Amino acid sequence: MNESPNRPTPEAFLRQAAQEGRGRLKIFLGAAPGVGKTYEMLTDGRHRREAGVDVVIGVVETHGRKETEALIHGHELIARQAIVYQGQSIDEMDIDAILARRPQLVLVDELAHTNAPGSRHPKRYQDIEELRDAGIDVYSTVNIQHVESLNDVVASFTRVRVRETVPDSILESAEIEVVDIPPDELIERLKDGKVYIPAEATRALNHFFSKSNLTALRELALRRAAQAVDAQMLDYVRAHALAGNFAAGERVVVALSEQDSAPGLVRAAKRLADALHGTWTAVHIETQRSQNLTDSERDRLAETMALASRLGAATATIPAATVVDGLLAFAEDARATQIVIGKSARPWWFELRYGSVVDRLVRNLGDIAVHVLPGDSNMPIQPRVRSARPGRWGKPADYVWTLAAIVACTAASRLLIEFIALGNVALFYLVPVMFAAATFGLRAGLFAGLTSSLAYNFFFLPPTGTLTVNNPENVVSIFVLLGVAIVTSQFAARVRAQAVLAQSSARQNAALAGFSRQLTSSGSQEELMHAICAEISRLFDCRTVMLLPSRDGPQVRAAYPPENRLEDIEKAAAQWAMDNGQPAGRGSSTLTASDWLFHPLQTTRGILGVIGFAREDANETLRSDQIPLVMSLLDQASIAFDRLTLEEEMQDARQLRERDRLRSVLLSSVSHDLRTPLTTILSTIHELRRTPSEEMLDTLEGEALRLNRFVANLLDMVRVEAGALSLRVEATDLTDAVSAAVHDTRKSLADHEVILDIPPDMPLVRVDARLFHHCLINLLDNAGRYADPDTPVRIECRRTPFGLDLSVVDEGPGIPAGKEERVFDTFTRLEGSDRSKGGTGLGLAIVKGFAEAMGLEVFAKNNIAPFGARFTIHVPATTIVSDIDEEAMQ
């Protein structure tokens, strides 16, 4: 593991490479409002501008502070974009204007700000990420309570939970400058009205801005900035393969084993990390010896690792040839500054044979502090008794194959003895020794070495056929052969052990990768839950069930095999696991009468559900060496499940926002398009009572028709979105259809000349005449409303190789570039154009819905000469009535 200590870490190198070409982000981090973040940002921006950097202001909130407003003078301000939401105009940062201006540095205040609905991104930090992607540097400000990971911590002592948060990943990729003032000074600023107005300041002093809260927030800000700087420093040194631990922040590593004293090491490491305000990791070094642990030792190790995880440590299991090599490599990779390790009570002969792990660590760790904790002196030292396990000494077949290899070597040597020297025969016997050690392990290799020595003596050393050795030189040869065989078997067995560890790690990585692929390919919660159960069941040869919370308790949502059913005791164990976030059931410390073991699916948002495991034999449980892999799979499952849950919630939120938008626009449209004709109708009726006239009757009829058309459009739109259209397809003459539509919209087209350009040889088309009529009158009404006064409206029809196109062309303002598709959206009235005046935004949506229902296409574009809008209904060739069909109808 420690072959290339100066090799750059690929992950850190990739993270740094990902930042190449992107703009830098500098965050001015404060403990609370009023510490001067915006002031400091503007001051720094002014210094950069004076140094020749192209600096602009994207967004700055001065909150009425005169000293802050004074710093804005001299900076170029990018005008904000007005976004209309629920009848109100909200000013937001104009990303497109900044991208078009393309400065070197842009100042953007309030990183955690939530943009108005309708903005390109819901959050301002997403706007900043887009600017950085374009290569623009950004300065921004944020308070510590807006950091996502600290949101709960801040709320726990301030009793205020902020809703606008920033992901920690944004801070991790940014340069952070802490803007800090003492709490007493900030309180004085608050009393002087420099933060809030007097009424709000008094209320703030009694709640959020108490001295204890400000002190705690100040500590959080300083600590979070230190963590970000420490993480960036580690990325740099790993990417550039720099030696040393760079102890800007304390990083504690505790080495765990299967010993009874291991839980005490975990608690000691936790206390040390808390005292040093550092991070800590619990690591177990997996060696060849780990394969010989008893079941109770494996269980004890798994419980210790779980304890470390519960206490907040990161956990890792590292395969290595020896404990010392593994710890040295992990400490170097983690840039550890403190290592906690236990001193085991070993017999003198054990340390004489294997050496002392503590002594070797102290000699090789350099400037890393080593904390050696003794075991419990009151606990009697018990000899390690291993249960007899099949396979510990190998299978009988291993020794049979080893013996067969020695027999084959002996036979070959007997045939070649006339041609080779006796000393070379001894070398032949190293072949079965290496074969046995590399294939079957150390004990088989030692057996091969001893047997080879005896065979060499019996068959080749005089007097042959006996184990007697007459020549003293031959005695030396036997011992040399035996010694070489033992050393060779040791080396071969060590290589085999390393290969076994590598294969185990590769299998675990392959299982995690395959499991991840299964999860990412799932598109729904149901599919994901069944994939999780099926994959875990396959990997661990067990029955699997997933339960989610419901009003009636845990509910089975997926299982493999599908016929799994749970008894009351299992449901109680699942409920306990959900409530407490700890395993429950067989193999745990709670409700062990259950045949199932339940593990919670935990995320940052809480416990989503539980997964249960059971063997076909109720007395069997998951092996302790499988627990780390199970926990890794459960972490992946939790993340995938949480991702899908968030996606569904986001979809629901988008639908809710769209529903609110439609409701708002509908109310606005109804209030205008119903009230206007109704008001005209009522006033006309009032005038008719006094002085009846033909002109008033025409006005009354026109407004009634307008009102009727609006109500009809509402009903038609409901039918389109509900999919409740019933078609009555029949052969329709386009000339007759267009003439009827022009007649019905004569009021809308009163100020325009209607030009019909429809060749007389146009074929019949198979459409629903009523729906097609609605499409035409909505297009003509749209043209009459938006065409410039006293300009013609043209209706053209042309044959194409793929059918025919029927177009309505007006001479108006046209359609804004890039909005050609949006004009057909429900309740869409384009802003920034004369086409936003009047109307409900329903007519063109109805045209598109009706056309698609009949198998037609509709699209919009701008006409070139004369300029205006062109709306075209494309009738495919399959919908056109052929000449043969016409003859058949006649």
Side-chain angles (χ1 to χ4, degrees):
M1 291 182 58
N2 201 21
E3 293 178 357
S4 303
N6 296 323
R7 180 180 177 182
T9 304
E11 292 79 6
F13 187 78
L14 289 175
R15 281 193 292 270
Q16 287 209 342
Q19 300 301 320
E20 294 295 330
R22 299 188 78 221
R24 296 186 306 110
L25 172 62
K26 182 175 181 179
I27 296 177
F28 294 85
L29 178 66
V35 297
K37 302 181 299 301
T38 305
Y39 186 92
E40 188 67 24
M41 179 183 69
L42 291 171
T43 302
D44 204 334
R46 185 185 63 185
H47 293 160
R48 294 291 304 277
R49 179 169 53 83
E50 293 172 351
V53 178
D54 183 14
V55 182
V56 301
I57 292 180
V59 172
V60 164
E61 303 292 347
T62 63
H63 300 289
R65 298 163 189 160
K66 295 181 180 180
E67 63 273 16
T68 305
E69 293 176 350
L71 290 174
I72 296 179
H73 297 301
H75 281 294
E76 178 184 348
L77 276 75
I78 302 296
R80 300 193 192 185
Q81 179 184 16
I83 296 178
V84 179
Y85 177 66
Q86 293 185 349
Q88 296 182 350
S89 179
I90 304 174
D91 293 336
E92 294 290 359
M93 182 173 66
D94 193 339
I95 305 177
D96 292 325
I98 297 175
L99 292 175
R101 171 64 174 76
R102 199 170 182 80
Q104 292 177 277
L105 172 64
V106 59
L107 310 183
V108 182
D109 209 359
E110 297 185 356
L111 179 67
H113 172 76
T114 300
N115 293 328
S119 303
R120 182 182 306 179
H121 302 297
K123 292 288 188 177
R124 183 166 290 171
Y125 69 79
Q126 295 172 320
D127 298 338
I128 290 176
E129 287 298 288
E130 183 174 348
L131 295 176
R132 294 182 65 196
D133 290 338
I136 301 173
D137 293 344
V138 181
Y139 283 0
S140 190
T141 63
V142 73
N143 287 323
I144 192 63
Q145 65 264 31
H146 295 287
V147 179
E148 177 65 40
S149 64
L150 300 176
N151 186 260
D152 292 341
V153 178
V154 173
S156 66
F157 60 83
T158 63
R159 302 296 186 268
V160 176
R161 180 182 293 274
V162 297
R163 299 301 177 186
E164 295 178 324
T165 58
V166 175
D168 289 60
S169 58
I170 300 296
L171 275 72
E172 291 167 0
S173 64
E175 175 187 349
I176 296 179
E177 178 176 328
V178 179
V179 182
D180 182 44
I181 62 175
D184 292 334
E185 185 176 338
L186 179 57
I187 291 173
E188 288 299 322
R189 284 174 53 84
L190 192 67
K191 292 179 179 179
D192 295 339
K194 296 181 179 180
V195 180
Y196 296 127
I197 61 177
E200 293 181 353
T202 302
R203 185 167 58 253
L205 283 170
N206 295 330
H207 296 86
F208 189 85
F209 280 82
S210 66
K211 185 173 181 178
S212 59
N213 285 351
L214 293 177
T215 302
L217 290 169
R218 188 185 186 196
E219 180 183 359
L220 282 177
L222 294 171
R223 188 181 300 176
R224 186 62 185 83
Q227 290 175 357
V229 172
D230 186 59
Q232 292 168 8
M233 180 270 297
L234 285 180
D235 264 356
Y236 181 84
V237 298
R238 288 169 177 168
H240 293 80
L242 300 179
N245 55 29
F246 292 84
E250 298 293 343
R251 294 177 288 275
V252 179
V253 172
V254 55
L256 301 182
S257 69
E258 74 285 356
Q259 299 295 322
D260 294 330
S261 59
L265 291 180
V266 170
R267 297 184 180 94
K270 166 65 174 174
R271 293 192 296 271
L272 178 63
D274 288 345
L276 298 174
H277 301 294
T279 60
W280 64 299
T281 304
V283 60
H284 168 66
I285 306 302
E286 186 179 31
T287 63
Q288 182 184 7
R289 177 176 172 273
S290 302
Q291 300 176 1
N292 299 324
L293 296 179
T294 63
D295 290 337
S296 61
E297 289 170 338
R298 292 181 184 276
D299 292 339
R300 191 183 308 128
L301 176 61
E303 291 173 0
T304 305
M305 297 290 281
L307 172 64
S309 180
R310 289 197 301 270
L311 293 179
T315 58
T317 300
I318 307 298
T322 66
V323 172
V324 174
D325 292 342
L327 276 178
L328 289 174
F330 184 81
E332 181 178 358
D333 182 66
R335 308 287 171 169
T337 61
Q338 313 271 340
I339 286 185
V340 179
I341 191 170
K343 175 66 174 176
S344 303
R346 302 288 191 184
W348 63 269
W349 57 266
F350 185 91
E351 292 193 1
L352 183 64
R353 178 183 176 187
Y354 296 103
S356 171
V357 172
V358 174
D359 292 342
R360 293 176 61 191
L361 275 178
V362 172
R363 284 196 303 268
N364 292 283
L365 279 177
D367 56 353
I368 301 178
V370 181
H371 300 261
V372 182
L373 304 182
D376 191 351
S377 58
N378 296 325
M379 183 179 298
I381 301 176
Q382 298 180 354
R384 192 163 181 233
V385 179
R386 298 184 183 274
S387 57
R389 278 203 251 177
R392 181 169 181 257
W393 288 90
K395 295 179 292 186
D398 299 345
Y399 296 93
V400 172
W401 282 107
T402 301
L403 194 59
I406 296 173
V407 170
C409 181
T410 302
S413 299
R414 292 291 295 175
L415 293 175
L416 299 174
I417 190 62
E418 301 295 333
F419 307 100
I420 60 176
L422 184 62
N424 293 332
V425 173
L427 298 179
F428 279 175
Y429 278 104
L430 295 179
V431 175
V433 172
M434 295 177 63
F435 163 76
T439 307
F440 306 123
L442 176 60
R443 290 174 175 80
L446 295 176
F447 170 76
L450 180 60
T451 307
S452 297
S453 300
L454 295 176
Y456 178 65
N457 182 16
F458 187 83
F459 290 103
F460 297 100
L461 294 181
T464 58
T466 67
L467 296 179
T468 303
V469 181
N470 291 333
N471 191 342
E473 294 182 358
N474 293 336
V475 175
V476 175
S477 298
I478 292 175
F479 280 104
V480 169
L481 174 61
L482 183 60
V484 171
I486 292 174
V487 173
T488 303
S489 63
Q490 287 275 7
F491 281 120
R494 183 175 299 178
V495 171
R496 179 177 181 271
Q498 292 178 349
V500 170
L501 291 175
Q503 289 175 357
S504 175
S505 179
R507 283 195 300 270
Q508 181 166 332
N509 291 335
L512 289 172
F515 190 67
S516 179
R517 285 194 298 270
Q518 289 286 339
L519 299 186
T520 54
S521 63
S522 301
S524 64
Q525 278 196 4
E526 294 297 328
E527 185 179 348
L528 175 64
M529 289 187 292
H530 285 90
I532 292 173
C533 291
E535 192 67 11
I536 291 180
S537 180
R538 182 187 66 82
L539 290 173
F540 299 103
D541 189 25
C542 64
R543 293 178 293 157
T544 312
V545 65
M546 178 177 286
L547 298 94
L548 299 185
S550 67
R551 292 181 179 179
D552 300 327
Q555 180 183 5
V556 177
R557 296 293 300 275
Y560 193 89
E563 64 271 14
N564 281 324
R565 294 293 181 270
L566 300 181
E567 302 298 334
D568 291 340
I569 184 63
E570 278 78 31
K571 291 182 179 179
Q575 184 66 61
W576 193 92
M578 284 185 188
D579 295 339
N580 297 274
Q582 299 294 331
R586 182 172 295 277
S588 69
S589 59
T590 304
L591 297 173
T592 56
S594 171
D595 291 337
W596 291 74
L597 172 62
F598 295 95
H599 276 272
L601 290 175
Q602 291 183 318
T603 66
T604 55
R605 300 192 306 138
I607 297 175
L608 302 178
V610 294
I611 291 184
F613 310 90
R615 299 283 192 183
E616 292 298 332
D617 184 354
N619 294 322
E620 294 184 7
T621 60
L622 292 177
R623 299 196 313 271
S624 56
D625 59 326
Q626 294 176 326
I627 297 298
L629 178 57
V630 170
M631 300 308 296
S632 298
L633 295 179
L634 292 183
D635 288 341
Q636 284 197 12
S638 300
I639 294 172
F641 199 81
D642 196 28
R643 172 181 60 83
L644 277 183
T645 302
L646 288 174
E647 287 179 358
E648 292 183 358
E649 291 179 356
M650 286 296 294
Q651 181 66 23
D652 293 341
R654 283 193 293 268
Q655 292 177 354
L656 183 60
R657 286 197 300 268
E658 179 65 15
R659 192 180 303 120
D660 290 341
R661 185 187 72 85
L662 292 178
R663 183 184 297 112
S664 175
V665 177
L666 176 59
L667 291 175
S668 176
S669 298
V670 169
S671 64
H672 176 270
D673 290 275
L674 278 181
R675 184 177 299 167
T676 301
L678 283 175
T679 302
T680 305
I681 290 172
L682 291 174
S683 61
T684 303
I685 292 175
H686 181 71
E687 290 295 326
L688 277 173
R689 292 181 183 276
R690 295 191 301 175
T691 55
S693 68
E694 189 68 26
E695 182 180 354
M696 290 184 181
L697 288 175
D698 292 340
T699 302
L700 188 62
E701 181 185 10
E703 292 300 324
L705 290 174
R706 176 183 173 185
L707 183 60
N708 180 68
R709 188 179 300 118
F710 173 72
V711 174
N713 281 343
L714 282 178
L715 295 176
D716 288 340
M717 198 66 246
V718 171
R719 292 165 61 203
V720 169
E721 295 186 347
L725 291 177
S726 58
L727 300 180
R728 296 180 58 185
V729 177
E730 57 185 358
T732 304
D733 186 280
L734 290 177
T735 303
D736 293 343
V738 171
S739 300
V742 171
H743 178 270
D744 288 349
T745 54
R746 60 188 183 278
K747 295 287 187 182
S748 301
L749 300 174
D751 296 333
H752 305 279
E753 178 188 2
V754 178
I755 301 175
L756 299 181
D757 185 6
I758 303 177
D761 59 346
M762 283 291 108
L764 303 178
V765 294
R766 293 190 185 90
V767 295
D768 185 307
R770 182 175 53 86
L771 298 185
F772 194 70
H773 180 73
H774 277 282
C775 291
L776 292 177
I777 63 175
N778 276 294
L779 289 180
L780 291 172
D781 182 71
N782 181 78
R785 178 180 295 112
Y786 297 118
D788 293 337
D790 301 324
T791 58
V793 173
R794 300 177 58 87
I795 304 174
E796 303 174 352
C797 190
R798 297 288 184 268
R799 288 294 296 263
T800 69
F802 307 103
L804 61 85
D805 290 340
L806 180 64
S807 302
V808 177
V809 186
D810 64 54
E811 296 182 17
I815 304 170
K819 307 293 186 179
E820 290 84 355
E821 292 293 332
R822 283 195 57 200
V823 295
F824 295 105
D825 292 344
T826 307
F827 295 120
T828 295
R829 292 180 291 182
L830 302 180
E831 294 84 1
S833 168
D834 289 341
R835 302 196 73 87
S836 64
K837 63 183 180 181
T840 61
L842 282 175
L844 295 179
I846 291 172
V847 172
K848 185 176 181 64
F850 282 5
E852 291 179 348
M854 293 184 290
L856 312 180
E857 297 179 29
V858 60
F859 51 89
K861 64 178 182 179
N862 285 323
N863 201 49
I864 303 301
F867 185 81
R870 174 183 288 267
F871 292 88
T872 301
I873 298 177
H874 173 70
V875 181
T878 55
T879 310
I880 297 176
V881 179
S882 64
D883 295 338
I884 298 177
D885 293 334
E886 290 184 11
E887 293 177 1
M889 287 187 296
Q890 292 175 358

